[in-house]
Amino acid sequence: MAAQGSVVQKEMLTAGAHYMDPPIVNIQLAQDLLDVCRSMSLWPMTFGLACCAIEMMATGMARFDMARFGAEVFRPSPRQADVMIVAGTVTKKMAPAVVRLYEQMPGPKWVISMGNCAISGGPFKIKDNYNVIEGVDTLIPVDVYVPGCPPRPEGLLEGFFQLQRLITGKRWWPVAAEVKG
Amino acid sequence: MLQLLEGIPTQCVAKQDKVSTGRAWSVFLAPAQIVKTARKLYEAEYSLEDVFALDIEEGFLVLYHFNRWNVDERVVLRVLISKDNPTIPSIASIFDGAEWHERETRDFHGVNFEGNPNLVPLLMCVEDVDFHPLLKTDKKRKQIKDLLNLGEVVSCNKEIEALFAEAEAEVASDA
């Protein structure tokens, strides 16, 4: 469970702070195998907060086709999901709902913070800001940050690759060739 | 419009320049008259566009925009209330949609709409019930005459005229 351990501990709103009990029978090979299975069938939650959600939808649709990487099953319930993509601006009013959704997800679970707003408050991180949470990682532990305003679907896919690398310790997909000229 | 306002004691009625303001009429009212006027406008098939407040030196200026689909006549009702007791009757009983507009105005400026059935925060979170983000600092706050012009006055009482007096004098001296 490399990903779970990699999270920097902060003062979180969530009870238990992302903690999972170790398995009763711990066989490393079986755990590794399970991790590969988990990373190849990530089920994100259908959950968008702002314009980043549009890019998230595009990532799931035919052109960018997240299904190729095993993550197309957007679940309408947190109880069936294991990845939360925080796609958009988290307002103060929305924050309790985000935390509740996170807590309702069964472990092991991961969080992708998508876009500048979710990472740091983005354009709302100003002096007179009164209702935007400056970084969703002040509420829940975040595993992968995907910057952009909003990030391209390729960016989100790359975030998923990164998450798979965190879970299994290996990048599974070829790196895109650099385009010249 | 003038027929509609018959029987309502207005503070100031003025025609507005449509090109620069986007409105046909501007009506200043006392807080007590707003419900009655809204009722008249409702009966004349006006629809409510929005309700909001301006934080100015004289107090809060609460604005109500009304429009009509069949006649191009956009009306603004302006109610000046004091900072010490920012209370104004709610028109939510006449225009149902005003309920949320009033709640939003309460969120941002702390204007209390008396008679609104559910005056709890709409956009702000419940912890910030006493925090009103659009209140200005003294330095940024402006006088009404710097923000608005009175337009072509039909009838006006002395109080409202006095608010705009200096601005008009300045314009006259420029000319």
Side-chain angles (χ1 to χ4, degrees):
Chain A
M1 293 273 78
Q4 308 283 326
S6 72
V7 171
V8 183
Q9 290 298 327
K10 287 188 179 178
E11 250 181 69
M12 304 294 176
L13 277 181
T14 64
H18 212 40
Y19 174 78
M20 269 184 57
D21 289 326
I24 300 162
V25 185
N26 195 356
I27 304 166
Q28 194 54 45
L29 186 65
Q31 285 305 318
D32 288 352
L33 204 63
L34 274 177
D35 280 348
V36 173
C37 294
R38 280 173 186 143
S39 75
M40 291 301 141
S41 62
L42 291 169
W43 288 15
M45 185 156 57
T46 318
F47 168 58
L49 293 176
C51 29
C52 278
I54 306 293
E55 297 295 305
M56 183 178 73
M57 289 175 229
T59 317
M61 290 293 117
R63 181 170 174 193
F64 295 97
D65 199 10
M66 208 148 65
R68 292 177 294 168
F69 311 105
E72 88 282 18
V73 207
F74 277 90
R75 304 312 293 184
S77 159
R79 295 167 205 283
Q80 299 169 357
D82 50 15
V83 181
M84 178 191 238
I85 307 173
V86 184
T89 321
V90 187
T91 56
K92 243 183 183 174
K93 195 158 185 171
M94 191 63 194
V98 172
V99 172
R100 172 175 286 196
L101 286 173
Y102 176 80
E103 288 185 335
Q104 286 178 339
M105 284 162 59
K109 54 189 170 183
W110 299 276
V111 177
I112 295 178
S113 172
M114 180 183 184
N116 294 352
C117 293
I119 292 172
S120 69
F124 302 103
K125 197 181 165 99
I126 52 169
K127 197 176 100 253
D128 291 334
N129 169 25
Y130 57 87
N131 71 333
V132 173
I133 302 284
E134 293 177 357
V136 74
D137 54 4
T138 56
L139 302 173
I140 54 178
V142 174
D143 296 282
V144 177
Y145 297 85
V146 182
C149 191
R152 294 270 314 161
E154 294 95 325
L156 184 59
L157 284 180
E158 199 61 41
F160 266 97
F161 302 163
Q162 193 69 21
L163 186 57
Q164 289 172 341
R165 196 183 65 76
L166 275 175
I167 298 167
T168 61
K170 172 184 169 186
R171 186 195 166 92
W172 290 82
W173 314 103
V175 179
E178 210 166 293
V179 182
K180 285 195 180 127
Chain B
M1 187 64 209
L2 289 175
Q3 291 169 346
L4 269 179
L5 292 173
E6 268 172 30
I8 299 171
T10 55
Q11 291 181 332
C12 184
V13 182
K15 260 188 179 165
Q16 299 264 292
D17 176 26
K18 199 174 257 176
V19 179
S20 62
T21 65
R23 304 157 183 141
W25 291 94
S26 148
V27 182
F28 278 87
L29 291 166
Q33 303 304 326
I34 183 67
V35 176
K36 201 172 160 194
T37 316
R39 164 92 50 206
K40 284 250 172 147
L41 288 170
Y42 179 77
E43 281 159 7
E45 297 187 333
Y46 277 84
S47 60
L48 178 72
E49 272 184 9
D50 52 30
V51 179
F52 59 99
L54 291 177
D55 181 7
I56 52 176
E57 277 181 18
E58 288 85 357
F60 291 112
L61 189 65
V62 185
L63 305 185
Y64 299 77
H65 279 114
F66 292 91
N67 208 342
R68 238 163 115 180
W69 297 112
N70 47 1
V71 180
D72 188 14
E73 195 175 56
R74 197 154 170 260
V75 180
V76 56
L77 305 184
R78 294 175 168 145
V79 183
L80 191 61
I81 52 177
S82 72
K83 282 252 160 61
D84 311 327
N85 182 23
T87 305
I88 186 168
S90 165
I91 61 164
S93 57
I94 299 156
F95 291 93
D96 288 344
E99 188 186 328
W100 280 25
H101 290 306
E102 289 174 354
R103 280 170 66 186
E104 183 188 348
T105 309
R106 196 219 65 87
D107 277 8
F108 288 154
H109 290 95
V111 176
N112 181 25
F113 289 86
E114 248 171 14
N116 186 304
N118 187 26
L119 204 62
V120 297
L122 173 71
L123 300 173
M124 303 288 289
C125 55
V126 279
E127 297 88 49
D128 289 339
V129 67
D130 292 324
F131 172 62
H132 308 297
L134 294 196
L135 291 183
K136 291 190 166 46
T137 54
D138 285 342
K139 208 174 146 195
K140 281 186 178 172
R141 198 170 285 141
K142 287 188 170 178
Q143 284 182 311
I144 188 167
K145 62 190 179 199
D146 298 331
L147 296 170
L148 306 167
N149 69 41
L150 207 46
E152 196 183 313
V153 178
V154 175
S155 66
C156 205
N157 73 2
K158 289 221 170 90
E159 283 169 38
I160 301 293
E161 255 173 6
L163 289 178
F164 288 92
E166 209 180 309
E168 277 166 7
E170 276 169 23
V171 172
S173 67
D174 286 348

Tab-separated table of all heavy atoms in Angstrom, chain A residues 156-178:
chain	number	residue	atom	x	y	z
A	156	LEU	N	-5.448	14.672	-17.056
A	156	LEU	CA	-6.125	13.830	-16.070
A	156	LEU	C	-5.728	12.369	-16.256
A	156	LEU	O	-5.515	11.644	-15.276
A	156	LEU	CB	-7.649	13.998	-16.191
A	156	LEU	CG	-8.467	13.237	-15.139
A	156	LEU	CD1	-8.090	13.665	-13.738
A	156	LEU	CD2	-9.957	13.441	-15.352
A	157	LEU	N	-5.607	11.948	-17.533
A	157	LEU	CA	-5.158	10.570	-17.787
A	157	LEU	C	-3.786	10.364	-17.164
A	157	LEU	O	-3.523	9.341	-16.527
A	157	LEU	CB	-5.099	10.306	-19.295
A	157	LEU	CG	-6.443	10.080	-19.993
A	157	LEU	CD1	-6.221	9.844	-21.473
A	157	LEU	CD2	-7.184	8.910	-19.384
A	158	GLU	N	-2.913	11.352	-17.356
A	158	GLU	CA	-1.570	11.249	-16.780
A	158	GLU	C	-1.665	11.163	-15.253
A	158	GLU	O	-0.902	10.433	-14.616
A	158	GLU	CB	-0.745	12.475	-17.205
A	158	GLU	CG	0.746	12.315	-17.078
A	158	GLU	CD	1.298	11.177	-17.945
A	158	GLU	OE1	0.850	11.015	-19.096
A	158	GLU	OE2	2.172	10.457	-17.440
A	159	GLY	N	-2.628	11.864	-14.683
A	159	GLY	CA	-2.856	11.774	-13.238
A	159	GLY	C	-3.237	10.363	-12.832
A	159	GLY	O	-2.777	9.861	-11.804
A	160	PHE	N	-4.060	9.735	-13.652
A	160	PHE	CA	-4.434	8.342	-13.363
A	160	PHE	C	-3.223	7.416	-13.462
A	160	PHE	O	-3.066	6.493	-12.661
A	160	PHE	CB	-5.544	7.882	-14.317
A	160	PHE	CG	-6.910	8.076	-13.740
A	160	PHE	CD1	-7.660	9.186	-14.065
A	160	PHE	CD2	-7.431	7.156	-12.853
A	160	PHE	CE1	-8.909	9.386	-13.521
A	160	PHE	CE2	-8.683	7.340	-12.306
A	160	PHE	CZ	-9.423	8.453	-12.641
A	161	PHE	N	-2.363	7.676	-14.484
A	161	PHE	CA	-1.157	6.845	-14.611
A	161	PHE	C	-0.304	6.991	-13.355
A	161	PHE	O	0.256	6.028	-12.842
A	161	PHE	CB	-0.330	7.255	-15.839
A	161	PHE	CG	-1.075	7.167	-17.148
A	161	PHE	CD1	-0.598	7.812	-18.275
A	161	PHE	CD2	-2.246	6.426	-17.237
A	161	PHE	CE1	-1.288	7.731	-19.468
A	161	PHE	CE2	-2.938	6.345	-18.435
A	161	PHE	CZ	-2.461	7.010	-19.556
A	162	GLN	N	-0.236	8.222	-12.889
A	162	GLN	CA	0.553	8.501	-11.686
A	162	GLN	C	-0.031	7.768	-10.483
A	162	GLN	O	0.701	7.220	-9.661
A	162	GLN	CB	0.558	10.021	-11.452
A	162	GLN	CG	1.568	10.498	-10.444
A	162	GLN	CD	2.980	10.339	-10.971
A	162	GLN	OE1	3.197	10.246	-12.174
A	162	GLN	NE2	3.947	10.284	-10.059
A	163	LEU	N	-1.368	7.760	-10.424
A	163	LEU	CA	-2.036	7.065	-9.322
A	163	LEU	C	-1.755	5.563	-9.401
A	163	LEU	O	-1.485	4.913	-8.385
A	163	LEU	CB	-3.539	7.336	-9.373
A	163	LEU	CG	-4.365	6.807	-8.205
A	163	LEU	CD1	-3.856	7.350	-6.896
A	163	LEU	CD2	-5.824	7.191	-8.382
A	164	GLN	N	-1.800	5.031	-10.623
A	164	GLN	CA	-1.486	3.604	-10.798
A	164	GLN	C	-0.046	3.316	-10.394
A	164	GLN	O	0.264	2.276	-9.819
A	164	GLN	CB	-1.735	3.199	-12.256
A	164	GLN	CG	-3.213	3.155	-12.598
A	164	GLN	CD	-3.479	2.940	-14.069
A	164	GLN	OE1	-2.601	3.160	-14.911
A	164	GLN	NE2	-4.691	2.516	-14.394
A	165	ARG	N	0.822	4.265	-10.681
A	165	ARG	CA	2.221	4.090	-10.278
A	165	ARG	C	2.351	4.118	-8.755
A	165	ARG	O	3.102	3.349	-8.161
A	165	ARG	CB	3.099	5.186	-10.890
A	165	ARG	CG	4.592	4.882	-10.846
A	165	ARG	CD	5.399	6.023	-11.399
A	165	ARG	NE	5.282	7.227	-10.590
A	165	ARG	CZ	5.885	7.427	-9.430
A	165	ARG	NH1	6.675	6.510	-8.934
A	165	ARG	NH2	5.715	8.543	-8.755
A	166	LEU	N	1.577	4.998	-8.127
A	166	LEU	CA	1.595	5.064	-6.663
A	166	LEU	C	1.104	3.753	-6.053
A	166	LEU	O	1.629	3.292	-5.051
A	166	LEU	CB	0.682	6.197	-6.180
A	166	LEU	CG	1.263	7.591	-6.113
A	166	LEU	CD1	0.162	8.572	-5.734
A	166	LEU	CD2	2.362	7.641	-5.078
A	167	ILE	N	0.086	3.162	-6.666
A	167	ILE	CA	-0.518	1.961	-6.085
A	167	ILE	C	0.382	0.746	-6.311
A	167	ILE	O	0.580	-0.071	-5.415
A	167	ILE	CB	-1.920	1.713	-6.690
A	167	ILE	CG1	-2.853	2.888	-6.373
A	167	ILE	CG2	-2.529	0.434	-6.134
A	167	ILE	CD1	-4.133	2.883	-7.161
A	168	THR	N	0.938	0.636	-7.537
A	168	THR	CA	1.681	-0.584	-7.881
A	168	THR	C	3.188	-0.378	-7.912
A	168	THR	O	3.936	-1.339	-8.000
A	168	THR	CB	1.256	-1.095	-9.272
A	168	THR	OG1	1.571	-0.073	-10.231
A	168	THR	CG2	-0.221	-1.390	-9.321
A	169	GLY	N	3.629	0.855	-7.909
A	169	GLY	CA	5.059	1.116	-7.970
A	169	GLY	C	5.613	1.037	-9.372
A	169	GLY	O	6.815	0.906	-9.577
A	170	LYS	N	4.763	1.125	-10.369
A	170	LYS	CA	5.244	0.962	-11.744
A	170	LYS	C	4.363	1.778	-12.678
A	170	LYS	O	3.139	1.810	-12.513
A	170	LYS	CB	5.174	-0.511	-12.112
A	170	LYS	CG	5.467	-0.807	-13.551
A	170	LYS	CD	5.288	-2.281	-13.847
A	170	LYS	CE	5.318	-2.484	-15.363
A	170	LYS	NZ	5.016	-3.829	-15.761
A	171	ARG	N	4.968	2.423	-13.661
A	171	ARG	CA	4.173	3.079	-14.695
A	171	ARG	C	3.856	2.060	-15.774
A	171	ARG	O	4.744	1.413	-16.314
A	171	ARG	CB	4.961	4.258	-15.291
A	171	ARG	CG	4.120	5.065	-16.255
A	171	ARG	CD	4.945	5.989	-17.113
A	171	ARG	NE	4.134	6.494	-18.228
A	171	ARG	CZ	3.446	7.619	-18.170
A	171	ARG	NH1	3.473	8.345	-17.097
A	171	ARG	NH2	2.737	7.989	-19.213
A	172	TRP	N	2.582	1.932	-16.105
A	172	TRP	CA	2.148	0.845	-16.975
A	172	TRP	C	2.063	1.256	-18.435
A	172	TRP	O	1.937	0.400	-19.304
A	172	TRP	CB	0.788	0.326	-16.506
A	172	TRP	CG	0.885	-0.405	-15.208
A	172	TRP	CD1	0.922	0.144	-13.975
A	172	TRP	CD2	1.020	-1.811	-15.028
A	172	TRP	NE1	1.068	-0.816	-13.013
A	172	TRP	CE2	1.116	-2.047	-13.647
A	172	TRP	CE3	1.068	-2.903	-15.895
A	172	TRP	CZ2	1.261	-3.319	-13.098
A	172	TRP	CZ3	1.196	-4.171	-15.349
A	172	TRP	CH2	1.305	-4.371	-13.969
A	173	TRP	N	2.053	2.509	-18.713
A	173	TRP	CA	1.743	2.948	-20.073
A	173	TRP	C	2.919	3.701	-20.655
A	173	TRP	O	3.673	4.338	-19.921
A	173	TRP	CB	0.490	3.832	-20.061
A	173	TRP	CG	-0.591	3.224	-19.231
A	173	TRP	CD1	-0.959	3.595	-17.983
A	173	TRP	CD2	-1.385	2.087	-19.559
A	173	TRP	NE1	-1.943	2.782	-17.505
A	173	TRP	CE2	-2.234	1.835	-18.452
A	173	TRP	CE3	-1.481	1.254	-20.670
A	173	TRP	CZ2	-3.149	0.793	-18.436
A	173	TRP	CZ3	-2.396	0.224	-20.650
A	173	TRP	CH2	-3.224	0.003	-19.540
A	174	PRO	N	3.083	3.608	-22.005
A	174	PRO	CA	4.203	4.307	-22.636
A	174	PRO	C	4.079	5.823	-22.470
A	174	PRO	O	2.973	6.362	-22.384
A	174	PRO	CB	4.102	3.908	-24.119
A	174	PRO	CG	2.733	3.357	-24.296
A	174	PRO	CD	2.302	2.825	-22.983
A	175	VAL	N	5.205	6.497	-22.400
A	175	VAL	CA	5.199	7.957	-22.325
A	175	VAL	C	4.973	8.498	-23.732
A	175	VAL	O	5.567	8.006	-24.692
A	175	VAL	CB	6.551	8.463	-21.768
A	175	VAL	CG1	6.557	9.978	-21.706
A	175	VAL	CG2	6.800	7.868	-20.401
A	176	ALA	N	4.107	9.494	-23.837
A	176	ALA	CA	3.795	10.062	-25.154
A	176	ALA	C	5.049	10.673	-25.767
A	176	ALA	O	5.857	11.290	-25.067
A	176	ALA	CB	2.707	11.113	-25.014
A	177	ALA	N	5.212	10.455	-27.078
A	177	ALA	CA	6.373	11.006	-27.774
A	177	ALA	C	6.262	12.519	-27.835
A	177	ALA	O	5.167	13.077	-27.931
A	177	ALA	CB	6.443	10.424	-29.179
A	178	GLU	N	7.391	13.173	-27.744
A	178	GLU	CA	7.392	14.630	-27.796
A	178	GLU	C	7.164	15.086	-29.239
A	178	GLU	O	7.791	14.581	-30.163
A	178	GLU	CB	8.740	15.160	-27.302
A	178	GLU	CG	8.607	16.518	-26.653
A	178	GLU	CD	9.861	16.883	-25.884
A	178	GLU	OE1	10.155	16.222	-24.862
A	178	GLU	OE2	10.542	17.798	-26.345
